[in-house]
């Protein structure tokens, strides 16, 4: 077994096209895991093994692989960059101890890098920064370093400087060892020489080295005082200890540069992974929670001697059966063990365990704390479930996933495929928690819901190619919501006398708009026992069940507060069911009076356009009811940030490409719900009404 202090569980994450997958390929080549590197642009990279990935040149699923460097075992996850798949990044970060943020030398800090960086901050994951593609036109290492400071609000600790730029890029200066690493033109990673720093960079290297030492020594007061007051420079090992400490507590992020495609600068990044990123035992342990998700105060200590605890963070279906990816936090797992799923309360036997290398695998007989492995053939496990020792039941902090904002109706082209489609969609929902499916009870249609057009596009493509189900796809639909704008006070009585015992329940209540994103809150201020306490849950249940279908167009209702302040009951005829019916009637009666309003999802849109088309793009966003938030000129174009309603964004990529002669790009993610303008609301309500009548 590998010593835990030699483990590094890391993820590689970045914006689309910054070179994550290529960087992963180079790492695998350098560590001897693969002998021939496959290129993304040829559709041959190791970790992009889905057909859809090879074709589009993007990563869709996060792929896991293991390799060794300097006696350390690296478990690496290559994550997708596209915003519709950020859930893959989020769940990978949840189980990793460190990460490498890859930024494009010419594109810099792009929209998706910001989202991923925010996720990594939320998960408190230590990171290195790798500024890639310095051999490209328009590359500028120092500009990217400034963007990390200004856009991400992070402190980059510059560890290497580039020698030459664009076509001239040939190597890097390592500031700690004060040596230059220079590669020849063969493109082989091992063909480099270590030389003295080139004369033209000596001053710059001295300036950056001083900044590096001063920032690092903030982690150790004694060394800092000796350095500032007595001019004693600490040893390289002391500086490394400080860098390690600051990287762990997120004070700064060691920053490297290079070109993964040209094999330059990757070795130093790998050294940094083993030198500065934390081992599993050095990370703040995961919280244990109760079944409701409330922390119990206990922690899942990373140690092979503790009881077995693991988190299932990804389910994947492939030609060998269902794979459940797990991160083991504590204890050991052997083939044939019986483990408990604390979410379902059921136990399962571990048949086969495998170590993944993208699409290949090798069999394991045992695994221990710190490992990331896959178990074959688990039946009822879903993403976010805790697997543990049946004698020591526990729950690890669960994952929270964003709600889908877009849906499409689909139907199989031939009747015979209905069952096949059902089975396939069932597998896909288990794999991706942000992909949801429901059946419209009135029309019998299957509704697929997801995070964006590309997300659903790829799901339909997978159904067609992987599962052989041809679909007719309807128009994309927006997930509207409803809310109220006025506070009202009202009363409702439910009375029924018809032979035998009757039903009676009277409630007096206030309904008012809640805070944004508060959902539904119910409080009771009844005094004097006019409504007995045991009926409160039934009243709350009645109101809550009605929140699913609003009074305007039947969309779910958000952000409503209900306060029960009085009522009456009958000693014989009152029951929980009578009060629940009263609450349902009260909702129908009062919501119409409380100024109901339609809400629409607003997307945070980030558009990149060449400078000569900025006017057209902004004009077009305004026509789409967008609000421009910010614009920032870069070397190769302008980034425009705006908030735009989702309903106006369908098919936007086509318009953008036409306006910018194919050079524009954009990404968007859900931001918040906001009130619909009246004309839009009326059209949506009318369309929903028509749908219902047609059924």
């Amino acid at each position: 077994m590998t010593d835990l202090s030699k483990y590094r569980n890391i993820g590689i994450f970045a914006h689309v096209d910054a070179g994550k997958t290529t960087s992963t390929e180079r790492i695998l080549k350098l560590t001897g895991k693969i002998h021939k590197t496959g290129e993304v642009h040829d559709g041959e990279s190791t970790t992009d093994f889905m057909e859809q990935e090879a074709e589009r040149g993007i990563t869709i699923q996060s792929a896991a692989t293991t390799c060794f460097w300097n006696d350390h075992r690296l478990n690496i996850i290559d994550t997708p960059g596209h915003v519709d798949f950020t859930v893959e990044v989020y769940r990978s970060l949840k189980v990793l101890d460190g990460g490498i943020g890859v930024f494009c030398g010419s594109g810099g800090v792009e929209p998706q890098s910001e989202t991923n960086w925010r996720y990594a901050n939320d998960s408190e994951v230590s990171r290195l920064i790798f500024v890639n593609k310095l051999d490209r036109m328009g590359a500028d290492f120092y500009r990217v370093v400034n963007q990390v400071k200004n856009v991400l609000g992070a402190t980059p600790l510059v560890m290497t400087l580039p020698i030459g730029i664009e076509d001239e890029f040939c190597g890097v200066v390592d500031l700690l060892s004060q040596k230059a690493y220079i590669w020849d033109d063969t493109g082989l990673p091992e063909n480099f020489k270590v030389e003295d720093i080139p004369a033209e960079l000596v001053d710059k290297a001295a300036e950056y080295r001083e900044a590096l030492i001063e920032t690092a020594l903030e982690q150790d007061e004694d060394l800092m005082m000796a350095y500032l007051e007595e001019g004693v420079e600490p040893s390289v090992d002391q500086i490394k200890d400080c860098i390690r400490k600051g990287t762990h507590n997120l004070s700064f992020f060691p920053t490297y540069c290079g070109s993964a495609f040209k094999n330059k600068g990757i070795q130093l990044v790998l050294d940094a992974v083993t030198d500065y990123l934390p081992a599993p035992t050095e990370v703040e342990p995961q919280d244990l929670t109760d079944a409701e998700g409330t922390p119990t105060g206990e922690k899942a200590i990373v140690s092979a001697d503790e009881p077995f605890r693991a988190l299932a963070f990804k389910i994947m279906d492939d030609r060998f059966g269902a794979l459940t990816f797990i991160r083991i936090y504590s204890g050991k797992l052997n083939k044939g063990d019986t483990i408990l799923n604390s979410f379902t309360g059921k136990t399962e036997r571990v048949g086969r365990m495998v170590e993944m290398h993208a699409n290949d695998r090798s069999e394991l007989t045992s695994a221990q704390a710190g490992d990331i492995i896959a178990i074959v053939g688990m039946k009822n496990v879903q993403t976010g479930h805790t697997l543990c020792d049946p004698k020591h039941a526990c729950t690890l902090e669960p994952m929270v996933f964003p709600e889908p904002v877009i849906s499409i109706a689909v139907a199989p082209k031939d009747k015979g495929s209905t069952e096949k489609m059902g089975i396939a969609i069932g597998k896909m929902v288990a794999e991706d928690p942000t992909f949801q499916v429901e059946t419209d009870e009135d029309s019998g249609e299957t509704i697929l819901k997801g995070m964006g057009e590309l997300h659903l596009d790829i799901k339909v493509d997978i159904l067609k190619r992987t599962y052989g189900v041809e679909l007719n796809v309807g128009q994309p639909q927006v997930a509207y919501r409803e809310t109220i704008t006025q506070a009202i006070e009202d009363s409702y009585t439910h009375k029924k006398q018809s032979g035998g015992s009757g039903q009676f329940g009277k409630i007096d209540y206030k309904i008012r708009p809640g805070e944004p994103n508060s959902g539904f809150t119910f409080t009771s201020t009844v005094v004097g026992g006019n409504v007995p306490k045991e009926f409160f849950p039934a009243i709350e249940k009645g109101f809550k069940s009605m929140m699913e279908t609003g009074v305007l167009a039947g969309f779910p209702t958000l952000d409503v507060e209900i306060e029960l302040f009085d009522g009456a009951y009958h000693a014989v005829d009152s029951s929980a069911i009578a009060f629940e019916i009263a609450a349902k009637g009260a909702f129908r009666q009062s919501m119409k009076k409380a100024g109901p309003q339609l809400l629409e999802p607003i997307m945070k849109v980030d558009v990149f356009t060449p400078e000569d088309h900025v006017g057209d793009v902004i004009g077009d966003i305004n026509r789409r009811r967008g609000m421009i938030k910010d614009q920032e000129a870069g070397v190769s174009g302008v980034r425009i940030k705006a908030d735009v309603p989702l309903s106006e964004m369908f098919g936007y990529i086509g318009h953008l490409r036409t306006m910018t002669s194919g050079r524009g790009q954009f990404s968007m993610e859900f931001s918040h719900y906001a009130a619909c303008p009246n004309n839009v609301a009326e059209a949506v309500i009318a369309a929903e009404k028509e749908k219902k009548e047609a059924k």
Side-chain angles (χ1 to χ4, degrees):
M1 282 294 191
T2 316
D3 165 11
L4 268 182
S5 65
K6 304 270 183 167
Y7 268 59
R8 297 290 181 272
N9 288 323
I10 60 168
I12 297 186
F13 55 92
H15 186 83
V16 176
D17 250 11
K20 298 175 298 305
T21 303
T22 305
S23 302
T24 310
E25 285 289 308
R26 296 305 181 263
I27 288 173
L28 296 177
K29 176 79 170 66
L30 266 175
T31 54
K33 188 76 188 188
I34 54 176
H35 299 296
K36 170 186 176 292
T37 48
E39 300 306 344
V40 176
H41 48 81
D42 298 335
E44 287 177 355
S45 67
T46 311
T47 52
D48 285 356
F49 51 81
M50 287 169 63
E51 282 178 40
Q52 290 82 356
E53 294 178 312
E55 247 172 47
R56 295 171 199 238
I58 60 171
T59 305
I60 294 169
Q61 286 187 331
S62 40
T65 183
T66 303
C67 56
F68 290 84
W69 182 256
N70 289 353
D71 300 333
H72 285 66
R73 175 194 175 109
L74 312 184
N75 292 324
I76 301 176
I77 295 187
D78 171 30
T79 63
H82 198 285
V83 67
D84 285 6
F85 307 102
T86 41
V87 59
E88 290 281 349
V89 180
Y90 168 76
R91 62 174 167 199
S92 302
L93 282 168
K94 176 90 181 149
V95 297
L96 294 168
D97 307 321
I100 303 175
V102 181
F103 297 101
C104 171
S106 58
V109 176
E110 293 167 287
Q112 196 54 47
S113 348
E114 285 179 57
T115 307
N116 291 339
W117 197 262
R118 201 173 63 239
Y119 280 154
N121 285 343
D122 293 346
S123 304
E124 296 184 350
V125 170
S126 305
R127 277 147 283 169
L128 305 175
I129 291 172
F130 178 53
V131 180
N132 188 19
K133 300 195 175 182
L134 287 182
D135 54 322
R136 289 224 349 214
M137 285 291 292
D140 182 343
F141 174 68
Y142 302 99
R143 190 184 81 250
V144 180
V145 167
N146 282 329
Q147 283 186 330
V148 170
K149 285 182 200 157
N150 303 331
V151 179
L152 301 178
T155 306
L157 184 73
V158 176
M159 304 291 292
T160 61
L161 299 180
I163 303 173
I165 204 74
E166 296 181 354
D167 297 349
E168 309 284 301
F169 176 70
C170 63
V172 299
V173 171
D174 177 10
L175 294 175
L176 267 190
S177 66
Q178 296 177 295
K179 289 288 178 198
Y181 286 71
I182 296 177
W183 279 264
D184 61 21
D185 291 335
T186 56
L188 294 170
E190 55 276 9
N191 288 7
F192 66 89
K193 295 202 279 290
V194 181
E195 301 176 1
D196 289 334
I197 298 175
E200 69 275 13
L201 279 174
V202 168
D203 293 347
K204 196 166 216 171
E207 174 197 333
Y208 271 88
R209 187 167 197 270
E210 193 173 325
L212 184 162
I213 293 172
E214 281 182 15
T215 309
L217 293 191
E218 283 170 12
Q219 302 298 319
D220 187 320
E221 271 187 36
D222 297 345
L223 291 175
M224 183 68 147
M225 296 312 288
Y227 179 66
L228 291 179
E229 287 176 8
E230 296 152 35
V232 179
E233 182 175 299
S235 69
V236 169
D237 284 342
Q238 286 173 321
I239 300 172
K240 279 188 166 181
D241 287 343
C242 290
I243 296 174
R244 190 170 167 80
K245 191 174 166 191
T247 307
H248 288 199
N249 60 29
L250 309 186
S251 302
F252 47 70
F253 304 93
T255 301
Y256 291 81
C257 60
S259 159
F261 182 56
K262 297 276 171 65
N263 278 316
K264 292 171 183 169
I266 299 282
Q267 284 96 329
L268 294 156
V269 178
L270 280 171
D271 288 342
V273 167
T274 56
D275 284 345
Y276 306 129
L277 286 180
T281 47
E282 294 169 314
V283 177
E284 183 69 23
Q286 289 275 331
D287 287 322
L288 294 179
T289 64
D290 58 18
E292 270 68 58
T294 318
T296 56
E298 281 187 80
K299 303 268 187 192
I301 309 290
V302 177
S303 154
D305 304 326
E306 292 270 314
F308 172 72
R309 301 184 186 108
L311 186 72
F313 68 96
K314 180 177 164 66
I315 312 290
M316 198 172 102
D317 204 76
D318 73 356
R319 60 188 192 276
F320 302 108
L323 288 171
T324 304
F325 283 81
I326 64 167
R327 157 78 200 258
I328 304 176
Y329 283 102
S330 59
K332 294 189 174 91
L333 182 63
N334 296 309
K335 197 171 159 175
D337 283 358
T338 297
I339 53 178
L340 170 74
N341 177 342
S342 64
F343 184 83
T344 59
K346 296 195 168 118
T347 54
E348 292 197 43
R349 192 170 163 279
V350 179
R352 288 172 56 212
M353 299 177 348
V354 292
E355 180 180 287
M356 295 301 292
H357 174 55
N359 207 15
D360 297 327
R361 66 209 50 209
S362 47
E363 297 276 340
L364 297 172
T365 51
S366 67
Q368 64 165 12
D371 279 333
I372 292 179
I373 61 157
I375 303 179
V376 184
M378 300 288 278
K379 292 282 185 299
N380 302 309
V381 181
Q382 286 182 346
T383 300
H385 285 183
T386 301
L387 302 173
C388 56
D389 180 340
K391 296 192 198 67
H392 299 89
C394 70
T395 307
L396 288 157
E397 195 178 31
M399 300 185 184
V400 184
F401 295 111
E403 285 295 311
V405 288
I406 177 173
S407 60
I408 50 174
V410 296
K413 282 191 177 162
D414 55 84
K415 289 279 179 281
S417 298
T418 310
E419 190 183 340
K420 203 158 134 192
M421 176 181 87
I423 293 168
I425 288 178
K427 288 178 177 175
M428 287 161 66
V429 170
E431 285 179 19
D432 180 353
T434 55
F435 174 59
Q436 294 178 7
V437 65
E438 59 183 46
T439 305
D440 186 317
E441 286 166 18
D442 304 328
S443 67
E445 287 179 319
T446 301
I447 311 285
L448 306 184
K449 298 177 166 185
M451 302 306 293
E453 279 186 285
L454 178 70
H455 192 196
L456 292 180
D457 239 17
I458 289 196
K459 296 298 179 199
V460 169
D461 200 40
I462 292 173
L463 277 167
K464 181 175 155 187
R465 291 209 220 170
T466 311
Y467 297 103
V469 180
E470 293 273 356
L471 294 177
N472 291 320
V473 181
Q475 284 299 310
Q477 301 294 320
V478 177
Y480 289 101
R481 295 286 182 264
E482 298 181 20
T483 191
I484 52 169
T485 54
Q486 295 155 20
I488 60 160
E489 200 171 292
D490 211 344
S491 174
Y492 188 88
T493 307
H494 169 65
K495 208 161 48 186
K496 188 177 168 207
Q497 296 303 133
S498 57
S501 61
Q503 287 183 354
F504 178 84
K506 174 177 187 284
I507 52 175
D508 298 334
Y509 52 90
K510 292 174 186 158
I511 291 187
R512 52 182 169 258
E515 290 291 310
N517 299 324
S518 61
F520 167 75
T521 41
F522 176 82
T523 51
S524 163
T525 52
V526 178
V527 285
N530 289 351
V531 178
K533 273 201 173 74
E534 64 263 28
F535 297 136
F536 293 172
I539 298 169
E540 179 175 357
K541 185 181 167 198
F543 277 119
K544 197 170 184 179
S545 66
M546 297 298 285
M547 293 283 289
E548 282 303 305
T549 45
V551 291
L552 283 174
F555 293 113
T557 309
L558 292 182
D559 308 336
V560 175
E561 280 181 22
I562 293 178
E563 181 193 329
L564 178 71
F565 66 88
D566 206 358
Y569 78 106
H570 186 282
V572 177
D573 293 348
S574 285
S575 63
I577 196 83
F579 275 104
E580 189 180 324
I581 293 168
K584 288 180 176 177
F587 186 93
R588 276 192 291 266
Q589 165 185 295
S590 304
M591 290 306 269
K592 293 185 179 115
K593 306 178 195 171
Q597 185 179 48
L598 203 63
L599 299 174
E600 59 181 348
I602 304 293
M603 308 302 279
K604 205 164 88 185
V605 178
D606 216 312
V607 187
F608 174 82
T609 165
E611 258 171 49
D612 37 351
H613 299 293
V614 172
D616 299 342
V617 170
I618 288 181
D620 182 62
I621 289 174
N622 288 333
R623 273 194 299 282
R624 294 171 189 270
R625 300 192 282 124
M627 290 267 299
I628 306 288
K629 291 283 195 207
D630 187 24
Q631 62 187 83
E632 180 191 319
V635 176
S636 48
V638 178
R639 275 179 62 190
I640 300 163
K641 294 185 175 186
D643 284 350
V644 191
L646 172 63
S647 58
E648 306 286 343
M649 289 300 292
F650 291 136
Y652 179 62
I653 188 68
H655 290 282
L656 179 65
R657 286 191 178 140
T658 310
M659 277 186 297
T660 59
S661 326
R663 286 157 65 206
Q665 295 175 345
F666 89 105
S667 75
M668 66 177 184
E669 62 179 315
F670 172 69
S671 169
H672 61 281
Y673 274 98
C676 269
N678 283 345
N679 57 335
V680 176
E682 281 161 16
V684 171
I685 292 166
E688 285 299 309
K689 203 169 163 190
E690 224 171 84
K691 252 199 232 168
K692 290 198 171 80
E693 283 165 3
K695 287 167 188 172

